[in-house]
Amino acid sequence: MPVTILAPKAMRQDYGQADKQNISDDSDDADSSNGGAELDYAELAKADAEGHTHKRPRIAGGDFEIVTPGEVITDDPQWMRGHGTYVAAGTTSIISSVAGTITRTNKLLSVRPLRARYTPEVGDLVVGRIVEVQAKRWRVDVGATQLASLPLSAINLPGGILRKRTETDELQIRTFFAEGDLLVAEVQQLFQDGGAVLHTRSLKYGKLRNGMFVAVSGMGGGGGVVRSRRQVWTLEAASGGGPIDVVLGVNGYVWISKHVETPEGLVEKTSGITNLDESVSATMYSSQNDRIGPETMREIARIRGVVTALVDNGLRVDEDMVMRGYHEAVEMAMVSSVGADDIYLGGERGEQLAAVLTAV
Amino acid sequence: MAAAAPPSLSFPRPVFAKLSPHPYLLRTLAPQVSPDTPTPKPSRTNGRAPHEARPVYIHTSSLSHAHGSALVRVGDTTVICGVRGEILPVTSIPQYRPRADFGEDDDEETRRAGRGELKDYDLLVPNIELATGCAPQFLPGVPPSTLAQTISTRVYSLLHSCAVVDAKNLRIWASPVVTKPTGCDDDADKMEEDDEEEEEKPELVAYWVLYVDILVVSFDGNPFDAAWMAVLAALRDTKLPVVTWDSDRGVAFCSRNAEKRKLQIKGLPVACTAAVFLEKEHGSETSGEENNRHWILLDPDRSEETLCGETITMVVDCEGGETRLRSLEKQGGTVIGRELIRGFAGVAEKRWREVKGAMSK
Amino acid sequence: MPREIEPSLNEKQFVLQALQEKFRLDGRQFDQYRPLELTFGDQYGVADVAFGKTKILAKASAEVTVPYADRPLDGVFAIATELSPMASPAFEVNRPTETEVLLSRLLEKTVRRSGALDTESLCLVAGQKCWSIRVDVHVLSHDGNLIDTACFAVVAALRHFRKPDTSVEGGILTVYTPAEREPVPLSWLHSPFCVTWSFYGDRGEIAVLDATWTEEQIRVASCTISLNRHGEICQISKLGGTPVEAVALLQCTSIALTKAKDFSVFLDKKLAEDTKKRNIGGFMAELRSENDR
Amino acid sequence: MAASTEPEAALSVLPRADGSATYAHAGYTVMGSVNGPIEASRRDEHPYEAHVDVIVRPAAGVGGTRERHLESILQSSLSQLILVKNFPRQLIQIVLQIEATPENDYVNTKLVQASLNFPVVPALLQTAILALLSAAVPMRETAASTVVAVVPQGAKRLLVDPVPRDLEAAHSVHVLAFTSQDELLLAESEGDFTVKEWDEVYEAAKEICCRPRTLDEENDVGPDLRHFLRTTLEEKVAEDLYWK
Amino acid sequence: MPLDTSAYSLALLRVDGRRWNELRRMHAQIRTQAAADGSSYLEMGHTKVMCVVTGPSEPGPRRSAVGASGGTGVGGGSGEAAQAEVAVSIVIAGFSSVDRKRTARGDKRILEMQSTISNALAGSLHTHLYPHSAINISLHVLSQDGSLLAALINAATLACVDAGIPMTDYVAACTAGSTSTYAAGDEAADPLLDLNQQEEQELPGLTVATLGESDRVAVLVCESRVQVSRLEGMLAVAVDGCKQVREILDRVVRDKGRRMVQEGTIEKGVGVNDMEID
Amino acid sequence: MATAQPLYVLPGDTIDPSLIPTHKKLPLRLGPGLRHIPPSAIVPTVAGQLVADHKKNSMWVEYNGGRYIPAPNDLVIGQIQRSAADFYFMNLTPFTSNATLPQLAFEGATKKNRPQLASGALVYARVVLANRHMDPELECVSSSTGKAEGLGPLTGGMAFDVSLGLARRLLMARSREEGKVEILELLGAEGLAFETAVGRNGKVWVGSDSAKTIILVGRALRETDDGKLDVDQQKKLAKRLIREMK
């Protein structure tokens, strides 16, 4: 049973109204009130009036349904609860535990949070950074709630992929990856507690160099990188930038680099990596950058600008958006006074870019 | 000293000393008889004989800003001590209580009362610092080690129990000449001070507080003896300026070129420490007859201190002809008994003469 | 330092199950305290309090000092609660744990901020000299519910305490030794007591008083209510944990009030007994000091 | 006066400690607890023997330098008695809480005193030993300790367990501890005395600490500590083994 | 200067012109720091605080035990913890109050607030989903005008929602007081909602945090002397206030969410209303 | 058994040689609380009652209290702290360093299927190895028979702390005659259904379907222990508790 409010003796009745009236003037004396606040007051004046028993979400939002923590999604027992929900003890009602949008896969109800840390799934392509080197494995920061682990057994060893792992490899584990190194890898499996195990046993994966790193908020929700057809592609940069690789890690870590003829190329031709020549595998774990021309650097920076602009304006980051954004950016640079060297895409220029993209 | 190293030994002496210090010291103290040294003399790894202390070097009034100072070196243990006096008005002593009579005559009663004064009003404030790096174990930024706290406590207690400084030398009086014209509250003070009569009695207005700061510059064992020596030397070196009391403003001041009076120090108590080195390592359960020998190492250095459990410190003063003990501390073992202590008094006397010599230099 | 180990799964499950069946391990009612013992020391201001196997000794002491600059007319009053390894090896000297911080805050709020002791009466010479009253809380044995025990001990010690008599003439302060003048009690305004509830269950529906150490380790929330016998709340703190129905908290408060009244009665009784006992001793003391003069 | 009173003690008074004891004598009351052998923290772990950790806490005020000194004195003495080799890498933790100290009605002294007060040492040592026995920590032997003051005048120049008033008047104050093998374990003296005086003190103290059990209780040099220790322990053991 | 309580009884208006059951203007934002996992800024009248949440993530070096609590409050920390550790740190800016006073490192009042907030949130957050990891909540006080603890709790809740950490429901907090001092002792004193600094100093009051729209109290802190009889009134008003606060917080989150859906940052969800299985 | 007039000893006491049992064949065995100093001195290390068994040619000091110190073949109740690759780290008494329990030291445990025990679970185990320089090691299966013999995880129920002395008495083969403790039998006779496991490390586990019964047994043990009750008093206690329960 709810506790009862002891009201003051005098003129009790009028208070209900009093609230409603004084909403406006109240927000006047308050410094720099904004619409949001006033709306709130109206809201809770209403709340006061009708008491607090309702657990229905407010329909104010109309067409886009946002659910928030503690909100009952359904009392219907035939649904199953998924991520972002819980069932209150002793009831059948499924309640949202995060703020986000509802997703439904036939009988399974789950809530996709507006934003959260990256939650790894098997098969994700991720960009990560080595934070710790252990005896037989590396701990990798992939922006998830726990560090992912990359076993020594799950990487390509120089000198042919079929080579067996030896003690010497364990001893010189740092020669492959050391603290701070960046790499692109795939999530191979998950522990029950959500920890991810990575592998780089494909020539698409491995150590990253010749480029720059951008972190945007990840797949947990809230825009940024989204899972899509291709996470990795090579584009031909404008104004003599040469080929540039873009790696959109599903975990929201982005890598933009000068395109080097990776074994990948060869792989396509020579169907099979067995006769992979030593020279390539030698460079596989090199931490040395090749020489990068200023044009290339400029274009890399421009692409980075595009990505951040997309994020700042809350737009999706995928191949399509990045490519279109890039071309727009080049156009904008052309018209600008400085010319091709104008790569600034912050502030209203960023908004401008976003506007164009959303307009289309 | 070839005999000291047994034939079996396959590595050089320094390594032996590092690896197993205990057997090493044991060897040098109990060398085997060998053809070239038929009667080997037991000696310590530092070449001293068991009862041989390190020479003392004392230099005083080396600090210009302190009222008294001394630098003491005993072997590689070096200690600096500075004494600084500050004036403490009685009004700012919370638990100050005027006493009826400060008997200037030197009887039991007043001396004890004086001791009370020193303690209750904190007129002697020793503080010891083991400088970072003076020995490997002292690291920067750590709270004062147990050793430092222990030594400062021992110095403090000894200062009071030996009463080297008499409270009466620290009292600051307002001469009646000055007191005469001053206001009524002053009279009230006198009323309080001693109930009615005799107007001319001078009034106690403030005390000297002596801050005794001890700094161990380099530490190679036996810090207490050195520290105490430094304190004593510094106090004997202390000169306090003559203070004039301005009762109108109720403040004490001493002009820059005021004459300085030497602080009177009573007696010359000297500390003498030794450590006991056992043949069997401490606590090991093999107790046969043969390996129960022990040596008393006078003025131990750092390496010896780490190997010895039991220590004895005796503070003696032979100033008045006969030897008087001012303090005795023996702990950490059961070897030193009555006889050894009796005997040790003699050793301490010898040490006293050495230090006395160094002081008077 | 070794950490306190949590109770085994078996214990956790069982204690909870038992509580749901309305049983406590030691067969107590939910709102029943363990037997309370209070003994005063031979000296003034020493109180030894025990709730079951929890034992706390509080000692009050007084000293003349200089008052704080910002409040020249007030005395100094401090409660020191340092948990020593005697209570549990998990406590390290001068490294405060959360337990210690919360305990000292609670005593601070309950005894000091509620104005149980009239600090202005401690002023001797305005801005120059005042009494500094200090209570040292020594936890001898820790079997749960430190807060209530400590609070009771502190209040008992302070009410039993006598500080030296003083006189001020012409700005000169005289503090009389016990031999010269009988010490005088503190000016005490009201006696607050702490009552701590522990909550169990998913919704904190089970409420228990005076939890033992095992029970404390398993509880999901706790709420300490401090009151005096006049029905004045001095402090309430439910610092997080599983939420509890507001109504339940109100009920807890009213029960707490009755407990506080019981404590207050008990303490008054004990103090009365003690003074009776002392009157003889006090007289003897007088004689002795006479002889020595 | 307090000097002549017999000491009192109670063992295993703290239910949650491995061993504990209270000891009251000559105006001092000390509560002692022993926990061990327990896991030692990294820094005081010793590869070959147990680390004996002594913590002395004053009744009022915070522990300062003199408590540290008392701790080091007790630590060095107790390590002699405990069979530390039995528990390598372990910790034996002894907490001594001073509950009451004899008060001098004739002075108001400061709360925190820097100078070390010898007279409390025997009480601390006795308590620690009782607590260790109650915790059944293996020991080589036990010990007993007392304090003797040399006063200027009066019928007997040696005062056992002097009250604070006597201490003020005393020329010198001595604390001595003897093991149950009659060996001198601890000797702390301060003041102004001669070797001869110390000898007398030694005699008196030994009489108190190591008097053979057979001796009759006529002469009142002071309490018979060794006998006291034995009887106290016998009572406890008998109680514990009531079922035998 | 003393608060003129007589004025209230006449006009039933408080010093700042509010009625007995009015909140001060409350304004909040989430997503204030792009870099953080979750962040928020919150004003209750002139009390202004901001909050940054990082985690759940691998626990860093051990921090002080105080203010860091595992789900249950006991134990906590340590690598083997079955649930995430919620560590709270509060920084009070020197300029936040009228007289600039330095707050010491180990200030027990702040340590207490830290552990309170930590335990309160641990009671709602689903920490068991994140074994051996840590949720670090750092709060910054920019300006103080009463109801500090309440503001901090609200800000922390918002930031946790923003960080997408699953929780049972909002933990919403506010304060309530009573119109006359305990000394006045009139049983018939009226309750007041949401105290400002001045009222907090002069009048008895308490801070309450409830879970969601229920009457279940997560935090109840009363630091002033007051008659038991007045508790119910104050508690009732406070609990009601918490519900209002929850509405406001919820509004903030929804608005943000809607905006994001509009911008297409996240695809629409299925409606709650069209819940029939197809 | 012990002499008519019990002999109490303190650490360091000299033991009258006449008391030391002398046996033709058997070597002298020293139990707890005694140490041998070469050549021939035997010295107590704890305070207690000296007991000599001339038949077994052994002597020891009987005492109660202190912290449990592991000795081979002791039965103990341990609590799982955490599990390593193929060990469980067990806690026998608070604040002491962990004992180890190999995950294969259970009945029928193999590399493939070994018991999965959560941290905090209670296990009834035997001390295999106890040595001052190493952490003690436990087992839950008899190495000879390969059978559990009652050892293994303890599910449900409640663990109560008792004094080491009582634990030892409960574990005596003839606990009623020698140990003078039969409270458990008495309660059983009163028709209470419960099972117990006694750990030498001062823990008694009590299992039963009824929480009431468990609590009652727990209180019975505590009161017997704290109150130092003899057999008759135990009888009274049992009666009283049963009555209260009704």
Side-chain angles (χ1 to χ4, degrees), chain E residues 73-104:
Chain E
V74 293
S78 95
E80 304 98 53
Q83 66 280 92
E85 167 193 31
V86 182
V88 178
S89 76
I90 301 175
V91 177
I92 297 184
F95 51 76
S96 62
S97 57
V98 192
D99 50 345
R100 181 184 188 287
K101 64 172 82 75
R102 303 281 293 103
T103 42

Side-chain angles (χ1 to χ4, degrees), chain B residues 324-325 328 330 338 342, chain D residues 68 187 189 192-193 199 203:
Chain B
R324 298 200 69 84
L325 278 57
L328 172 65
K330 164 251 186 288
R338 180 186 202 157
R342 281 213 191 102
Chain D
R68 299 292 91 68
S189 311
D192 184 353
F193 56 100
D199 261 356
E203 282 304 333

